[in-house]
Short mmCIF file of all heavy atoms in Angstrom, two decimals:
data_model
loop_
_atom_site.label_atom_id
_atom_site.label_comp_id
_atom_site.label_asym_id
_atom_site.label_seq_id
_atom_site.Cartn_x
_atom_site.Cartn_y
_atom_site.Cartn_z
N ASN A 27 113.08 78.27 110.03
CA ASN A 27 112.76 77.14 110.91
C ASN A 27 111.58 76.37 110.33
O ASN A 27 110.44 76.78 110.43
CB ASN A 27 112.43 77.66 112.31
CG ASN A 27 112.15 76.53 113.30
OD1 ASN A 27 112.10 75.35 112.92
ND2 ASN A 27 111.96 76.87 114.55
N ARG A 28 111.87 75.24 109.72
CA ARG A 28 110.84 74.45 109.04
C ARG A 28 109.73 74.01 110.01
O ARG A 28 108.56 73.91 109.63
CB ARG A 28 111.50 73.23 108.40
CG ARG A 28 110.56 72.34 107.60
CD ARG A 28 111.35 71.23 106.92
NE ARG A 28 110.48 70.27 106.25
CZ ARG A 28 109.96 70.45 105.06
NH1 ARG A 28 110.21 71.57 104.39
NH2 ARG A 28 109.19 69.54 104.52
N ASN A 29 110.09 73.78 111.25
CA ASN A 29 109.11 73.31 112.22
C ASN A 29 108.09 74.38 112.61
O ASN A 29 107.07 74.06 113.22
CB ASN A 29 109.82 72.80 113.49
CG ASN A 29 110.63 71.55 113.23
OD1 ASN A 29 110.26 70.72 112.40
ND2 ASN A 29 111.75 71.42 113.92
N ARG A 30 108.37 75.64 112.25
CA ARG A 30 107.45 76.73 112.59
C ARG A 30 106.96 77.44 111.34
O ARG A 30 106.48 78.57 111.41
CB ARG A 30 108.16 77.75 113.49
CG ARG A 30 108.75 77.18 114.75
CD ARG A 30 107.71 76.79 115.77
NE ARG A 30 106.96 77.94 116.27
CZ ARG A 30 105.99 77.86 117.19
NH1 ARG A 30 105.64 76.67 117.66
NH2 ARG A 30 105.37 78.93 117.59
N ALA A 31 107.05 76.78 110.20
CA ALA A 31 106.79 77.46 108.93
C ALA A 31 105.37 77.28 108.39
O ALA A 31 105.06 77.78 107.31
CB ALA A 31 107.79 76.98 107.87
N ARG A 32 104.48 76.61 109.12
CA ARG A 32 103.09 76.50 108.67
C ARG A 32 102.35 77.81 108.98
O ARG A 32 102.70 78.54 109.91
CB ARG A 32 102.39 75.33 109.38
CG ARG A 32 102.96 73.97 109.04
CD ARG A 32 102.72 73.56 107.60
NE ARG A 32 101.31 73.37 107.28
CZ ARG A 32 100.67 72.21 107.45
NH1 ARG A 32 101.31 71.15 107.93
NH2 ARG A 32 99.39 72.11 107.11
N ILE A 33 101.30 78.06 108.24
CA ILE A 33 100.59 79.33 108.40
C ILE A 33 99.92 79.43 109.77
O ILE A 33 99.69 80.53 110.29
CB ILE A 33 99.56 79.53 107.27
CG1 ILE A 33 99.12 81.00 107.20
CG2 ILE A 33 98.38 78.58 107.43
CD1 ILE A 33 98.26 81.32 105.99
N LYS A 34 99.65 78.30 110.42
CA LYS A 34 99.01 78.35 111.74
C LYS A 34 99.89 79.08 112.76
O LYS A 34 99.40 79.81 113.62
CB LYS A 34 98.68 76.93 112.23
CG LYS A 34 99.87 76.01 112.38
CD LYS A 34 99.44 74.59 112.72
CE LYS A 34 100.63 73.65 112.81
NZ LYS A 34 100.21 72.25 113.06
N PHE A 35 101.21 78.91 112.64
CA PHE A 35 102.12 79.59 113.57
C PHE A 35 102.19 81.07 113.26
O PHE A 35 102.28 81.91 114.17
CB PHE A 35 103.51 78.96 113.49
CG PHE A 35 103.55 77.52 113.91
CD1 PHE A 35 103.82 76.52 113.00
CD2 PHE A 35 103.30 77.16 115.23
CE1 PHE A 35 103.87 75.19 113.39
CE2 PHE A 35 103.34 75.83 115.63
CZ PHE A 35 103.62 74.84 114.70
N MET A 36 102.14 81.42 111.99
CA MET A 36 102.18 82.82 111.59
C MET A 36 100.94 83.57 112.11
O MET A 36 101.04 84.67 112.65
CB MET A 36 102.25 82.94 110.07
CG MET A 36 102.45 84.35 109.55
SD MET A 36 102.45 84.41 107.75
CE MET A 36 100.70 84.57 107.43
N ILE A 37 99.76 82.94 111.96
CA ILE A 37 98.53 83.58 112.41
C ILE A 37 98.48 83.65 113.93
O ILE A 37 98.02 84.65 114.50
CB ILE A 37 97.30 82.84 111.83
CG1 ILE A 37 97.26 83.03 110.31
CG2 ILE A 37 96.01 83.33 112.48
CD1 ILE A 37 96.17 82.26 109.62
N ALA A 38 98.97 82.61 114.59
CA ALA A 38 99.01 82.65 116.06
C ALA A 38 99.91 83.78 116.55
O ALA A 38 99.62 84.42 117.57
CB ALA A 38 99.51 81.31 116.60
N LYS A 39 100.97 84.05 115.82
CA LYS A 39 101.90 85.12 116.20
C LYS A 39 101.33 86.50 115.89
O LYS A 39 101.40 87.41 116.73
CB LYS A 39 103.23 84.91 115.47
CG LYS A 39 104.28 85.96 115.78
CD LYS A 39 105.57 85.67 115.03
CE LYS A 39 106.63 86.73 115.31
NZ LYS A 39 107.89 86.46 114.56
N LEU A 40 100.76 86.66 114.69
CA LEU A 40 100.24 87.97 114.28
C LEU A 40 98.91 88.30 114.93
O LEU A 40 98.60 89.46 115.20
CB LEU A 40 100.07 88.00 112.76
CG LEU A 40 101.32 87.96 111.90
CD1 LEU A 40 100.93 87.88 110.43
CD2 LEU A 40 102.19 89.19 112.15
N GLY A 41 98.07 87.27 115.12
CA GLY A 41 96.69 87.49 115.50
C GLY A 41 95.82 87.55 114.25
O GLY A 41 96.26 88.04 113.20
N ILE A 42 94.59 87.11 114.35
CA ILE A 42 93.73 87.02 113.17
C ILE A 42 93.40 88.40 112.61
O ILE A 42 93.28 88.58 111.39
CB ILE A 42 92.43 86.24 113.49
CG1 ILE A 42 91.62 85.97 112.22
CG2 ILE A 42 91.60 86.96 114.53
CD1 ILE A 42 92.29 85.10 111.22
N GLU A 43 93.30 89.42 113.45
CA GLU A 43 92.96 90.76 112.97
C GLU A 43 94.09 91.33 112.11
O GLU A 43 93.85 91.91 111.05
CB GLU A 43 92.66 91.69 114.15
CG GLU A 43 91.40 91.33 114.93
CD GLU A 43 90.15 91.40 114.07
OE1 GLU A 43 90.12 92.20 113.10
OE2 GLU A 43 89.20 90.64 114.35
N GLU A 44 95.32 91.18 112.59
CA GLU A 44 96.46 91.69 111.83
C GLU A 44 96.62 90.90 110.52
O GLU A 44 96.92 91.49 109.47
CB GLU A 44 97.74 91.58 112.67
CG GLU A 44 99.01 92.04 111.96
CD GLU A 44 99.00 93.51 111.57
OE1 GLU A 44 98.21 94.29 112.17
OE2 GLU A 44 99.79 93.89 110.68
N PHE A 45 96.41 89.60 110.60
CA PHE A 45 96.51 88.79 109.38
C PHE A 45 95.44 89.21 108.37
O PHE A 45 95.73 89.37 107.18
CB PHE A 45 96.34 87.30 109.73
CG PHE A 45 96.32 86.40 108.52
CD1 PHE A 45 97.48 86.10 107.85
CD2 PHE A 45 95.12 85.87 108.06
CE1 PHE A 45 97.47 85.27 106.74
CE2 PHE A 45 95.09 85.04 106.95
CZ PHE A 45 96.27 84.74 106.28
N ARG A 46 94.22 89.43 108.85
CA ARG A 46 93.14 89.85 107.96
C ARG A 46 93.47 91.20 107.31
O ARG A 46 93.22 91.42 106.12
CB ARG A 46 91.83 89.94 108.74
CG ARG A 46 90.60 90.18 107.86
CD ARG A 46 89.33 90.30 108.69
NE ARG A 46 88.97 89.05 109.32
CZ ARG A 46 88.95 88.83 110.63
NH1 ARG A 46 89.32 89.80 111.47
NH2 ARG A 46 88.58 87.67 111.11
N LYS A 47 94.07 92.09 108.08
CA LYS A 47 94.46 93.40 107.55
C LYS A 47 95.49 93.25 106.44
O LYS A 47 95.38 93.90 105.38
CB LYS A 47 95.02 94.25 108.69
CG LYS A 47 95.53 95.62 108.26
CD LYS A 47 96.15 96.37 109.43
CE LYS A 47 96.78 97.68 108.99
NZ LYS A 47 97.46 98.36 110.12
N LEU A 48 96.48 92.39 106.63
CA LEU A 48 97.51 92.18 105.62
C LEU A 48 96.91 91.60 104.34
O LEU A 48 97.27 92.00 103.22
CB LEU A 48 98.59 91.24 106.15
CG LEU A 48 99.50 91.78 107.24
CD1 LEU A 48 100.41 90.67 107.79
CD2 LEU A 48 100.34 92.95 106.73
N VAL A 49 95.99 90.66 104.49
CA VAL A 49 95.36 90.03 103.32
C VAL A 49 94.51 91.03 102.56
O VAL A 49 94.54 91.09 101.32
CB VAL A 49 94.52 88.80 103.76
CG1 VAL A 49 93.71 88.27 102.57
CG2 VAL A 49 95.42 87.71 104.32
N GLU A 50 93.75 91.86 103.29
CA GLU A 50 92.90 92.85 102.62
C GLU A 50 93.74 93.89 101.88
O GLU A 50 93.36 94.34 100.79
CB GLU A 50 91.99 93.51 103.65
CG GLU A 50 90.89 92.56 104.16
CD GLU A 50 90.10 93.14 105.30
OE1 GLU A 50 90.47 94.23 105.79
OE2 GLU A 50 89.12 92.49 105.72
N GLU A 51 94.87 94.27 102.47
CA GLU A 51 95.77 95.19 101.77
C GLU A 51 96.31 94.54 100.50
O GLU A 51 96.41 95.20 99.46
CB GLU A 51 96.93 95.58 102.70
CG GLU A 51 96.52 96.50 103.84
CD GLU A 51 97.66 96.74 104.82
OE1 GLU A 51 98.72 96.06 104.67
OE2 GLU A 51 97.51 97.58 105.73
N GLU A 52 96.65 93.28 100.58
CA GLU A 52 97.16 92.55 99.41
C GLU A 52 96.09 92.42 98.35
O GLU A 52 96.36 92.56 97.15
CB GLU A 52 97.65 91.16 99.85
CG GLU A 52 98.60 90.49 98.89
CD GLU A 52 99.96 91.17 98.84
OE1 GLU A 52 100.53 91.47 99.89
OE2 GLU A 52 100.45 91.39 97.71
N ARG A 53 94.87 92.18 98.79
CA ARG A 53 93.76 92.03 97.84
C ARG A 53 93.55 93.31 97.04
O ARG A 53 93.27 93.26 95.82
CB ARG A 53 92.47 91.67 98.60
CG ARG A 53 91.18 91.71 97.78
CD ARG A 53 91.18 90.62 96.73
NE ARG A 53 90.00 90.67 95.88
CZ ARG A 53 89.93 91.29 94.72
NH1 ARG A 53 90.99 91.95 94.25
NH2 ARG A 53 88.83 91.27 94.00
N ARG A 54 93.71 94.45 97.67
CA ARG A 54 93.47 95.74 96.98
C ARG A 54 94.49 96.00 95.87
O ARG A 54 94.18 96.70 94.91
CB ARG A 54 93.49 96.89 98.00
CG ARG A 54 92.22 96.97 98.84
CD ARG A 54 92.15 98.28 99.60
NE ARG A 54 93.11 98.36 100.68
CZ ARG A 54 92.89 97.94 101.92
NH1 ARG A 54 91.70 97.42 102.22
NH2 ARG A 54 93.82 98.04 102.85
N ILE A 55 95.68 95.45 96.00
CA ILE A 55 96.70 95.74 94.99
C ILE A 55 96.88 94.61 93.98
O ILE A 55 97.74 94.70 93.10
CB ILE A 55 98.07 96.05 95.67
CG1 ILE A 55 98.58 94.81 96.42
CG2 ILE A 55 97.96 97.26 96.59
CD1 ILE A 55 100.01 94.97 96.94
N LEU A 56 96.07 93.57 94.09
CA LEU A 56 96.20 92.45 93.14
C LEU A 56 95.79 92.88 91.73
O LEU A 56 94.72 93.48 91.55
CB LEU A 56 95.30 91.28 93.56
CG LEU A 56 95.80 90.31 94.62
CD1 LEU A 56 94.75 89.23 94.86
CD2 LEU A 56 97.11 89.69 94.22
N PRO A 57 96.60 92.58 90.73
CA PRO A 57 96.18 92.84 89.35
C PRO A 57 94.97 91.98 89.01
O PRO A 57 94.92 90.80 89.38
CB PRO A 57 97.41 92.42 88.52
CG PRO A 57 98.54 92.36 89.48
CD PRO A 57 97.97 92.02 90.81
N HIS A 58 94.01 92.53 88.30
CA HIS A 58 92.80 91.78 87.98
C HIS A 58 93.12 90.55 87.14
O HIS A 58 93.99 90.57 86.27
CB HIS A 58 91.80 92.66 87.23
CG HIS A 58 90.56 91.92 86.81
ND1 HIS A 58 89.57 91.60 87.70
CD2 HIS A 58 90.19 91.42 85.60
CE1 HIS A 58 88.61 90.94 87.07
NE2 HIS A 58 88.97 90.81 85.79
N ASP A 59 92.42 89.47 87.42
CA ASP A 59 92.59 88.21 86.68
C ASP A 59 91.20 87.70 86.31
O ASP A 59 90.37 87.45 87.20
CB ASP A 59 93.32 87.19 87.55
CG ASP A 59 93.78 85.97 86.76
OD1 ASP A 59 93.08 85.59 85.80
OD2 ASP A 59 94.81 85.37 87.12
N ASP A 60 90.94 87.56 85.03
CA ASP A 60 89.62 87.10 84.57
C ASP A 60 89.26 85.73 85.12
O ASP A 60 88.08 85.39 85.25
CB ASP A 60 89.58 87.05 83.04
CG ASP A 60 89.55 88.43 82.41
OD1 ASP A 60 89.17 89.39 83.12
OD2 ASP A 60 89.91 88.56 81.22
N ARG A 61 90.28 84.94 85.46
CA ARG A 61 90.01 83.58 85.96
C ARG A 61 89.32 83.59 87.32
O ARG A 61 88.74 82.57 87.72
CB ARG A 61 91.31 82.80 86.06
CG ARG A 61 91.97 82.49 84.72
CD ARG A 61 93.28 81.75 84.93
NE ARG A 61 94.25 82.56 85.65
CZ ARG A 61 95.39 82.09 86.15
NH1 ARG A 61 95.70 80.81 86.03
NH2 ARG A 61 96.24 82.91 86.79
N TRP A 62 89.38 84.72 88.02
CA TRP A 62 88.73 84.79 89.32
C TRP A 62 87.25 84.42 89.25
O TRP A 62 86.72 83.78 90.16
CB TRP A 62 88.86 86.19 89.91
CG TRP A 62 90.24 86.55 90.35
CD1 TRP A 62 91.28 85.71 90.59
CD2 TRP A 62 90.73 87.87 90.63
NE1 TRP A 62 92.40 86.41 90.99
CE2 TRP A 62 92.08 87.74 91.02
CE3 TRP A 62 90.16 89.14 90.58
CZ2 TRP A 62 92.87 88.84 91.37
CZ3 TRP A 62 90.95 90.23 90.92
CH2 TRP A 62 92.28 90.08 91.32
N THR A 63 86.60 84.84 88.20
CA THR A 63 85.14 84.62 88.12
C THR A 63 84.68 83.95 86.82
O THR A 63 83.49 83.70 86.66
CB THR A 63 84.40 85.97 88.26
OG1 THR A 63 84.88 86.88 87.26
CG2 THR A 63 84.60 86.57 89.64
N SER A 64 85.59 83.68 85.90
CA SER A 64 85.16 83.17 84.59
C SER A 64 84.48 81.82 84.66
O SER A 64 83.69 81.46 83.79
CB SER A 64 86.38 83.09 83.65
OG SER A 64 87.36 82.22 84.19
N TYR A 65 84.75 81.04 85.71
CA TYR A 65 84.16 79.71 85.83
C TYR A 65 82.75 79.73 86.42
O TYR A 65 81.97 78.79 86.24
CB TYR A 65 85.04 78.82 86.72
CG TYR A 65 84.99 79.21 88.19
CD1 TYR A 65 84.15 78.56 89.09
CD2 TYR A 65 85.77 80.26 88.68
CE1 TYR A 65 84.09 78.92 90.42
CE2 TYR A 65 85.72 80.63 90.01
CZ TYR A 65 84.89 79.95 90.88
OH TYR A 65 84.83 80.34 92.20
N ILE A 66 82.40 80.82 87.11
CA ILE A 66 81.14 80.85 87.88
C ILE A 66 79.90 80.67 87.01
O ILE A 66 78.98 79.92 87.39
CB ILE A 66 81.07 82.15 88.72
CG1 ILE A 66 82.15 82.11 89.81
CG2 ILE A 66 79.68 82.31 89.35
CD1 ILE A 66 82.24 83.35 90.66
N PRO A 67 79.79 81.29 85.83
CA PRO A 67 78.58 81.08 85.01
C PRO A 67 78.38 79.63 84.59
O PRO A 67 77.26 79.26 84.21
CB PRO A 67 78.84 81.98 83.79
CG PRO A 67 79.81 83.01 84.25
CD PRO A 67 80.68 82.31 85.22
N TYR A 68 79.44 78.81 84.67
CA TYR A 68 79.34 77.43 84.21
C TYR A 68 79.25 76.42 85.35
O TYR A 68 79.28 75.21 85.10
CB TYR A 68 80.56 77.11 83.34
CG TYR A 68 80.76 78.09 82.21
CD1 TYR A 68 81.71 79.11 82.30
CD2 TYR A 68 79.96 78.04 81.07
CE1 TYR A 68 81.88 80.02 81.28
CE2 TYR A 68 80.11 78.96 80.04
CZ TYR A 68 81.08 79.94 80.15
OH TYR A 68 81.23 80.85 79.14
N VAL A 69 79.11 76.92 86.57
CA VAL A 69 79.07 76.02 87.72
C VAL A 69 77.92 75.02 87.61
O VAL A 69 78.09 73.81 87.82
CB VAL A 69 78.95 76.83 89.04
CG1 VAL A 69 78.49 75.95 90.17
CG2 VAL A 69 80.30 77.46 89.39
N ASP A 70 76.74 75.50 87.27
CA ASP A 70 75.59 74.60 87.20
C ASP A 70 75.72 73.57 86.09
O ASP A 70 75.20 72.45 86.20
CB ASP A 70 74.29 75.40 87.01
CG ASP A 70 73.94 76.23 88.24
OD1 ASP A 70 74.40 75.86 89.35
OD2 ASP A 70 73.23 77.24 88.10
N SER A 71 76.42 73.91 85.02
CA SER A 71 76.56 72.99 83.90
C SER A 71 77.53 71.85 84.22
O SER A 71 77.61 70.87 83.48
CB SER A 71 77.05 73.72 82.65
OG SER A 71 78.37 74.23 82.84
N THR A 72 78.27 71.97 85.32
CA THR A 72 79.21 70.91 85.70
C THR A 72 78.57 69.88 86.62
O THR A 72 79.24 68.95 87.07
CB THR A 72 80.44 71.51 86.40
OG1 THR A 72 80.03 72.14 87.63
CG2 THR A 72 81.14 72.53 85.52
N GLN A 73 77.29 70.06 86.93
CA GLN A 73 76.63 69.14 87.84
C GLN A 73 76.61 67.73 87.26
O GLN A 73 76.46 67.52 86.06
CB GLN A 73 75.19 69.60 88.12
CG GLN A 73 75.10 70.96 88.80
CD GLN A 73 75.79 70.98 90.14
OE1 GLN A 73 75.52 70.15 91.00
NE2 GLN A 73 76.70 71.94 90.34
#
């Protein structure tokens, strides 16, 4: 149902606590990616 496919409807249905639990579980199993933090040392140089 395209009319109910935005994430706002999913969170309203699950509740924020259940959604947070699902995201944290997903975060624990994510394969490491160097891009997650490789840009941070250069943040100030982009000013």
Side-chain angles (χ1 to χ4, degrees):
N27 183 354
R28 183 175 174 82
N29 293 327
R30 304 288 295 180
R32 295 293 294 272
I33 197 172
K34 61 186 178 183
F35 297 113
M36 186 183 87
I37 293 175
K39 180 179 179 180
L40 293 175
I42 188 64
E43 293 299 331
E44 178 63 20
F45 176 76
R46 188 182 292 115
K47 177 183 174 184
L48 290 173
V49 172
E50 289 173 354
E51 289 174 352
E52 200 70 46
R53 170 67 183 94
R54 284 193 289 271
I55 63 172
L56 278 181
H58 177 76
D59 192 327
D60 288 339
R61 293 178 297 169
W62 289 344
T63 56
S64 60
Y65 71 97
I66 293 177
Y68 306 101
V69 163
D70 292 336
S71 65
T72 63
Q73 298 300 307

